[in-house]
Amino acid sequence: MPSKAKAATKTKAAAPKAKAPGAKAQAAGGRAAGTKAQPWELKTPSGQSDFQAYRDETLEPPALVVVVGKTELRYHLRCLTDLQGMLKKHGDWMPLGSADEQKPAAEGTVEAWARSPKNPVGGWYGLKKGLRGRFGNYVPPVMEILKLAEVEHNPKNNRMRAL
């Protein structure tokens, strides 16, 4: 007769792990090259919207390009390393706080940091006026696919932290 410890271990091993909403799409995006020809196919942290993203180092300045439907947003490519550095320094989970450019970003969020004159670029990471917001919606999934950060996938109020 197996001991209780062995039985408990077997039960835990047999239980399937729950996947966060969007995890399948995030994993699928990881097989892409992250180029214009082979963009990452991603979902927003809430899992409600699909988008594509890729790096374009030929642009001036080099950019992370996000395509949502027919809309193209661009962020400084360096945002990936800058954000990871900030999150490491922060040392804990940080709310995403996604907001359009025309709306204020909640203090203490990734979105607020991406607009702050105190960040490494001295202001907006977004490069296209009128489309500079939503950093907290589109950059975290890219960070996740690159294994630079962990991102929550809840319907609302998602957070991220550096890996």
Side-chain angles (χ1 to χ4, degrees):
M1 181 167 171
S3 70
K4 287 183 182 180
K6 282 186 178 180
T9 304
K10 286 182 183 178
T11 303
K12 284 184 182 178
K17 289 185 178 182
K19 290 188 178 182
K24 185 176 179 182
Q26 301 296 15
R31 289 191 288 271
T35 62
K36 188 172 186 174
Q38 292 185 326
W40 294 299
E41 300 283 341
L42 301 168
K43 286 192 173 286
T44 56
S46 67
Q48 293 183 3
S49 298
D50 297 320
F51 69 97
Q52 293 181 333
Y54 61 91
R55 293 174 269 214
D56 191 337
E57 295 182 27
T58 66
L59 297 172
E60 188 54 44
L64 172 65
V65 180
V66 172
V67 180
V68 186
K70 293 183 179 181
T71 304
E72 182 180 280
L73 299 93
R74 293 181 183 179
Y75 303 99
H76 283 277
L77 184 57
R78 66 177 286 177
C79 72
L80 301 171
T81 54
D82 290 352
L83 178 56
Q84 185 189 35
M86 182 278 292
L87 290 169
K88 281 185 176 184
K89 188 175 179 183
H90 180 69
D92 199 4
W93 289 97
M94 180 176 255
L96 301 182
S98 182
D100 288 330
E101 178 178 349
Q102 298 78 14
K103 296 180 181 177
E107 288 298 316
T109 63
V110 170
E111 186 77 34
W113 172 83
R115 303 171 178 207
S116 172
K118 296 179 182 176
N119 69 32
V121 295
W124 294 89
Y125 274 94
L127 296 170
K128 293 176 88 172
K129 189 155 178 69
L131 298 171
R132 297 183 296 184
R134 294 290 183 180
F135 184 92
N137 207 39
Y138 299 119
V139 176
V142 174
M143 298 278 293
E144 185 176 41
I145 208 71
L146 294 173
K147 299 189 183 336
L148 299 174
E150 182 177 3
V151 179
E152 291 181 328
H153 297 281
N154 300 311
K156 287 183 169 184
N157 303 320
N158 287 302
R159 305 174 300 165
M160 71 184 303
R161 66 178 172 187
L163 290 177

